[in-house]
Amino acid sequence: MYSATELYPNAHVTEAVHEYSIAHSTPLPEVVEQHRARSIDFANRVGMDPGMMVNTLQAQFMLFLAKLIGAKKVLEVGTFTGYSALAWAEAIKGQEGAKLVCCDIPGPHTEFAKATLLEAGFLNKLVTFFEGDGVETLQSLPVDQFDIIFLDANKDGYLPALKTILSRNLLSARGIVVADNALKQGLVADATDKNPHAANSNPGGVMGYEHIDEFNKFVRDNEQLEQVLLPAFDGLNIIRLKQ
């Protein structure tokens, strides 16, 4: 059966198309591109997985998306080394009332991210950084509304984060929630032995695909919301309030 996601015949062509797409998309600002290399080096040095960053093409997409919808206020739950935060900041800087709120648990990655945002001239100006549990931070944030809310932290926190966003009215009328890793290596669709990632999965863990599946089902069944789940990167569930 034809599937619109079966575009390329093998992994080699898929990788070639990915690199072609990067080369033919608007380049990232130099400060963002340089930070990617520094982040990979940092993560390897401290024993963290650099794969937790969004990839280059996704950063290009995020920056473009923010500009496309005219976003001024962005909330990011899960900042890691600050790579995605830099992309958001570059997208919204210069606008009156622009702000980026970042949330992540304390750790070496958080210090690295804050130092990067400070060096770029964003921290404590355009960017406010909250350290601690993401859901607890959402519950205690000063009342505001955001045009983009990016979820990219522990997957067991996605659903309580979204429920908090809705109950506290944190999403602007024209805003979108972008949930990363919404397909979790395809495990939400197929966690059998036909999926090579199944052997290494931990369904009930904080990064487990069952939490993502529960989140996706909640979004699908919620009458307040409309959404599109894209098989791009590791899956993006892009959600907005029903118009």
Side-chain angles (χ1 to χ4, degrees):
M1 184 177 73
Y2 172 75
S3 170
T5 59
E6 294 177 2
L7 299 176
Y8 316 114
N10 54 46
H12 172 80
V13 177
T14 299
E15 178 64 21
V17 168
H18 179 76
E19 294 300 323
Y20 183 92
S21 298
I22 291 172
H24 291 78
S25 298
T26 301
L28 292 168
E30 187 175 354
V31 65
V32 182
E33 195 57 54
Q34 289 177 347
H35 182 60
R36 179 171 187 81
R38 291 174 55 204
S39 290
I40 292 171
D41 178 66
F42 164 80
N44 287 328
R45 280 190 287 107
V46 300
M48 302 183 82
D49 180 10
M52 292 190 341
M53 290 191 302
V54 302
N55 66 38
T56 300
L57 184 59
Q58 186 172 348
Q60 289 171 302
F61 171 76
M62 288 160 49
L63 197 154
F64 184 87
L65 179 65
K67 290 185 175 182
L68 179 68
I69 70 168
K72 289 186 177 182
K73 296 181 180 181
V74 178
L75 170 60
E76 179 177 79
V77 183
T79 295
F80 192 40
T81 64
Y83 179 61
S84 54
L86 271 181
W88 294 128
E90 286 289 333
I92 66 174
K93 70 179 184 181
Q95 299 185 76
E96 184 177 355
K99 67 185 290 186
L100 169 61
V101 175
C102 297
C103 315
D104 211 325
I105 57 174
H109 62 290
T110 310
E111 296 306 312
F112 184 81
K114 289 193 295 184
T116 296
L117 293 166
L118 181 63
E119 183 180 350
F122 292 134
L123 191 64
N124 302 322
K125 295 177 182 177
L126 179 70
V127 178
T128 303
F129 209 112
F130 291 91
E131 294 186 61
D133 177 80
V135 176
E136 292 178 3
T137 300
L138 290 176
Q139 292 169 344
S140 61
L141 276 179
V143 175
D144 204 348
Q145 290 192 317
F146 296 88
D147 303 311
I148 293 179
I149 301 177
F150 183 52
L151 301 181
D152 192 22
N154 288 347
K155 308 314 168 193
D156 61 343
Y158 275 31
L159 184 51
L162 182 60
K163 288 181 177 179
T164 301
I165 290 163
L166 295 176
S167 67
R168 297 201 65 214
N169 197 27
L170 295 176
L171 188 64
S172 71
R174 66 190 181 98
I176 56 174
V177 175
V178 180
D180 199 15
N181 307 114
L183 293 175
K184 208 71 177 73
Q185 299 176 309
L187 292 165
V188 293
D190 186 349
T192 70
D193 57 8
K194 293 181 179 180
N195 186 333
H197 297 292
N200 299 318
S201 69
N202 181 14
V206 295
M207 304 303 285
Y209 68 85
E210 287 183 344
H211 299 297
I212 291 293
D213 185 46
E214 183 183 15
F215 172 84
N216 289 335
K217 286 182 168 63
F218 175 86
V219 172
R220 178 197 63 191
D221 297 337
N222 192 299
E223 294 184 356
Q224 291 180 261
L225 305 173
E226 53 188 15
Q227 67 286 330
V228 60
L229 179 52
L230 296 176
F233 314 114
D234 191 26
L236 293 179
N237 201 339
I238 302 177
I239 306 156
R240 70 174 188 163
L241 298 171
K242 190 168 288 184
Q243 304 297 303

